[in-house]
Amino acid sequence: MQLYLDTANLEEIREAASWGVISGVTTNPTLIVRERGADFKTTISAIADLVDGPISAETISLDAEGMIREGLEYAAWHPNVIIKVPSTTEGLKAVAHLTRKGIRTNVTLCFNATQALMAALAGAFIISPFVGRIDDSGVDGSQLIREIVAIYKQDTTITTSILAASIRHPRHIIEAAIAGADIASCPFKVLQQAMRHPLTDRGIEQFLADWQTRT
Ligand code: E4P
């Protein structure tokens, strides 16, 4: 399973990219706005300079025509830009159109397996089930991943990648991998937490202390 970073913060992306574990980046309107005053195009282009992999840029239109217009604009910024559209029927139309034009899409805000099936049939490059928000509602988000994996497996013509989105803690990464997701897109904080263990810290301390006693 690949790891993407779920942020528009260039410092976080620069740091995580240096760890050698990041294959792509996802952004959304909230994450872009969080980087106060940053221009959308400049931010996406800067991210594409830092990470050589799919960079998701989200449309804000509600109708297919607007999503397609935005998608064509964003896709021209860099060959690695993936156009994010919502799991709606207008989103499906945009996916079908952009796919015919050779532009890759990420169908976001996926909360059930039928949305995932229809996104794949329309030609989505990535489907993004929101495991964290599903867990928040009291339902098991990783079960949705398992359902999508099973459905996609049945149809060998489906090549859509399953991206576990809305990752809230390191355990979500493990659950997504075991459920069969192709990608987990994680906030920087979760990636930092994922590499921490008190016994690792204690072990380093002990090794250093022992090293100081060498004769
Ligand atoms: C990623 O593509 C999503 O936009 C993101 O993971 C949403 O995460 P949230 O539910 O923490 O806002």
Side-chain angles (χ1 to χ4, degrees), residues 4 26 45 56 66 83 95-96 98-99 121-122 131 138 147-148 197 201:
Y4 285 13
T26 49
S45 304
S56 289
I83 308 307
V95 169
L98 292 169
T99 303
L121 295 177
V131 295
E147 288 177 5
I148 300 171
H197 196 287
D201 296 339

Side-chain angles (χ1 to χ4, degrees), residues 149-164:
V149 168
I151 289 167
Y152 284 9
K153 211 173 177 179
Q154 261 189 349
D155 183 343
T156 51
T157 65
I158 291 179
T159 55
T160 309
S161 295
I162 303 168
L163 179 152

Side-chain angles (χ1 to χ4, degrees), residues 50 62 68 95 104 113 121 129 135 137 142 163 184 199 208 214:
L50 292 172
L62 297 179
I68 292 166
V95 169
R104 296 175 293 174
L121 295 177
D135 280 1
S137 72
S142 63
L163 179 152
L199 289 181
L208 286 182
R214 77 189 188 283

